Amino acid sequence: MDAVLSGFSIALQPWNLLFCLIGCLVGTLVGVLPGVGPVAAISILLPVTFKVSPVSGIIMLAGIYYGAMYGGSITSILVNLPGEAASVVTCMDGYQMARKGRAGPALGISAIGSFIGGTISVLGLMLVAAPLAQVALAFGPPEYFALMTVGMVVVTFLAGKSMIKSLLMAAVGVFLGCVGMDVISAKPRFTLGLGMLEDGLGLVPVIMGLYGIAEVLSNLEFSLKVSVFSTAIQKIWPTRDDFRRSIGPILRGTGLGFLVGTLPGGGAVLSSFLSYGMEKKLAKEPERFGQGAIEGVAGPETANNAATGGAFIPLFILGLPFNVVSAVLLGAMIIYGVRPGPMLLSTDPGLFWGVVSSMYIGNVMLLVLNLPLVGLWVKLLKIPYQFFFPLICLFCMIGVFSINQNIQEIYVMLLFGVVGYLLRKFEYDTAPLVLAMVLGPLYENALRQSLIMSDGSYAIFVSRPLSAACLVFAALLLIVPYLPRISFWRKKALEFAEEDS
């Protein structure tokens, strides 16, 4: 309890409250605007946080992450266009509710479910953190190597249509993460003789290029016209019958989202789809789904917010990101000089409890601010989307240059912007690349330390139960997509998600 009170005393400091508010508002904004997801927003704003304390920086970046989940539901309900991938499924029933004049209750139950899911998942994070950290202390380099292998394989499994392309992207990411000085031999490698690469390829320029510049280039090909459904948004507070129908989906979505968020490759997108499928399966009248069933809004919106809290467990306690947003947050923490992992609770308890406590405050801010600001978000949607492109490019260039005042890093960002654009054109998912690039140095260290422990024997990875179990699981995931029935359903699921997005 003392740790929790200490965390709130840190989170309630005026400076941290300000950064929490900025993070929540920016997160909602990027959730509302189609195309700009939390990964791009966190990447663009990451350099802004370098001049403040790590606690304030992580509070703001975390606020962008869970704030985007709130904002994504607004465009799904009012425009039938998900602002964020995790809100794709909300379009199905949220937009139908808006067409029937029930946009208010849809937005209301979305905000309430998001608040409940987000708040309870933070409580779960607090309860699980200390016991899990004790367990994680027993992990050695082989276990970490195996867990990172599972994380990368699961992300490639879920990422795109082609497992081969995703694995190729992961391999490229590991390679990019290994560019720079060898930590053991102290010799440069893969630097092409360029001095700027001796410290490694900068994570920020690469991510800004892949997600910021590439996003702009991709959207230049399309004429995106957002048509906001004209309906009076009134009676936002749901009726008693709405609450009766929604309480079950909200509670189930909270548990499901939190659990899925903790798993490798799990996250807000997967949890929202699973929640929708579960509610439709459990419904007495499944034919109502797709026609404006409030359960189809309550469950997924709760689940995707609960998943954000769950995703912080492996990040903070194991030091392992299990999705691309967590990977970017891990990269930010490493830049700050913070090393997440089982020792974080003892070496930097103020940071952990301060950030976790701020999530409670952030969820309250989002609930209080978002509903009154719905009108403002709707007006923003009416601004031609093309007007935001120059601003995104400008923020990217200022952000990259502000890190080391090195213009060569802007060139790196532009290069990866073009690369990211081409990867999208040829349907190569960049999520495995970013995750593997962040994990690359950790992956290599775990491999080397394991081999040093075993005098060069690879048997150490299969002689330890947890390591062996993880590697077997990863191997199964590599084989499963090629089983005919599994391949069919995986392809169908990806096509379904793509059509709705």
Side-chain angles (χ1 to χ4, degrees):
M1 182 55 74
D2 290 341
V4 176
L5 293 176
S6 170
F8 273 104
S9 70
I10 295 171
L12 288 171
Q13 291 174 5
W15 196 244
N16 291 332
L17 279 175
L18 175 63
F19 274 84
C20 184
L21 178 62
I22 293 172
C24 291
L25 288 176
V26 172
T28 307
L29 177 63
V30 300
V32 167
L33 295 175
V36 185
V39 177
I42 291 173
S43 307
I44 292 169
L45 293 178
L46 179 58
V48 176
T49 64
F50 290 166
K51 302 298 182 184
V52 301
S53 70
V55 178
S56 300
I58 298 171
I59 283 175
M60 190 182 93
L61 299 181
I64 294 174
Y65 184 22
Y66 56 78
M69 300 302 119
Y70 277 76
S73 63
I74 295 174
T75 45
S76 294
I77 292 169
L78 297 179
V79 190
N80 198 28
L81 187 65
E84 215 283 322
S87 298
V88 167
V89 76
T90 305
C91 294
M92 299 181 190
D93 285 283
Y95 187 62
Q96 291 301 321
M97 288 183 70
R99 291 184 66 85
K100 294 176 180 176
R102 302 197 70 229
L107 291 167
I109 205 66
S110 169
I112 293 168
S114 297
F115 173 74
I116 294 174
T119 305
I120 294 180
S121 72
V122 175
L123 180 63
L125 171 60
M126 285 181 162
L127 294 175
V128 170
L132 184 60
Q134 290 299 317
V135 174
L137 285 173
F139 290 3
E143 284 78 15
Y144 272 102
F145 176 83
L147 280 171
M148 282 187 270
T149 303
V150 170
M152 283 197 271
V153 171
V154 172
V155 169
T156 58
F157 180 80
L158 297 171
K161 290 179 181 177
S162 171
M163 189 100 179
I164 300 293
K165 288 182 177 178
S166 297
L167 286 171
L168 180 61
M169 287 292 94
V172 172
V174 172
F175 170 75
L176 294 178
C178 292
V179 172
M181 199 69 73
D182 187 318
V183 293
I184 293 181
S185 66
K187 292 181 180 177
R189 56 186 182 182
F190 313 127
T191 60
L192 304 176
L194 299 174
M196 64 168 289
L197 294 180
E198 290 184 358
D199 291 332
L201 198 56
L203 179 66
V204 175
V206 172
I207 297 178
M208 280 191 174
L210 290 177
Y211 286 91
I213 302 299
E215 180 67 36
V216 172
L217 293 175
S218 298
N219 280 288
L220 287 177
E221 292 185 356
F222 306 101
S223 176
L224 182 61
K225 292 183 178 179
V226 176
S227 176
V228 181
F229 188 69
S230 57
T231 180
I233 302 173
Q234 54 187 350
K235 295 181 180 178
I236 286 179
W237 194 252
T239 64
R240 183 177 295 182
D241 185 58
D242 290 333
F243 276 116
R244 181 183 63 78
R245 291 180 179 275
S246 301
I247 187 66
I250 286 175
L251 294 177
R252 287 188 288 271
T254 299
L256 178 71
F258 180 72
L259 178 63
V260 172
T262 62
L263 300 177
V269 180
L270 182 62
S271 64
S272 62
F273 273 93
L274 289 176
S275 173
Y276 189 85
M278 181 172 68
E279 294 309 324
K280 190 173 181 180
K281 197 80 174 175
L282 294 175
K284 294 179 180 176
E285 302 169 288
E287 62 275 9
R288 291 179 52 249
F289 281 72
Q291 306 298 321
I294 197 166
E295 301 96 312
V297 177
E301 282 301 317
T302 304
N304 64 33
N305 278 272
T308 60
F312 281 98
I313 291 178
L315 175 63
F316 280 150
I317 306 305
L318 300 178
L320 299 177
F322 283 164
N323 58 51
V324 67
V325 180
S326 299
V328 177
L329 289 173
L330 174 63
M333 294 174 80
I334 292 173
I335 293 172
Y336 296 147
V338 176
R339 181 71 176 91
M343 297 299 293
L344 181 65
L345 281 173
S346 54
T347 58
D348 207 343
L351 182 141
F352 175 81
W353 292 109
V355 172
V356 172
S357 302
S358 77
M359 294 181 190
Y360 279 115
I361 299 167
N363 275 289
V364 174
M365 285 180 177
L366 287 164
L367 181 67
V368 172
L369 293 177
N370 267 358
L371 290 181
L373 292 178
V374 164
L376 174 64
W377 302 129
V378 171
K379 288 179 180 175
L380 276 176
L381 281 171
K382 295 179 180 176
I383 299 175
Y385 193 47
Q386 290 80 356
F387 287 0
F388 292 102
F389 295 159
L391 289 176
I392 292 174
C393 292
L394 181 63
F395 282 135
C396 286
M397 285 193 278
I398 292 175
V400 167
F401 186 75
S402 66
I403 299 172
N404 297 314
Q405 287 77 50
N406 186 345
I407 198 164
Q408 290 176 321
E409 293 192 332
I410 294 181
Y411 298 147
V412 171
M413 178 192 71
L414 295 175
L415 172 65
F416 275 90
V418 176
V419 170
Y421 167 73
L422 293 175
L423 290 175
R424 293 179 186 210
K425 290 282 287 182
F426 293 101
E427 297 185 337
Y428 284 82
D429 199 315
T430 53
L433 187 153
V434 173
L435 181 65
M437 184 179 174
V438 174
L439 285 180
L442 307 175
Y443 202 57
E444 183 189 12
N445 286 340
L447 175 63
R448 284 181 160 184
Q449 289 171 355
S450 301
L451 294 177
I452 290 172
M453 288 169 61
S454 63
D455 293 327
S457 172
Y458 287 91
I460 192 171
F461 296 111
V462 293
S463 61
R464 299 167 71 120
L466 179 59
S467 171
C470 290
L471 292 178
V472 169
F473 179 64
L476 288 174
L477 281 179
L478 290 173
I479 298 171
V480 159
Y482 298 100
L483 298 177
R485 182 170 289 274
I486 299 293
S487 175
F488 174 79
W489 286 112
R490 179 174 178 271
K491 187 178 178 183
K492 283 289 181 187
L494 289 170
E495 286 176 355
F496 176 71
E498 191 173 79
E499 285 170 6
D500 280 307
S501 62

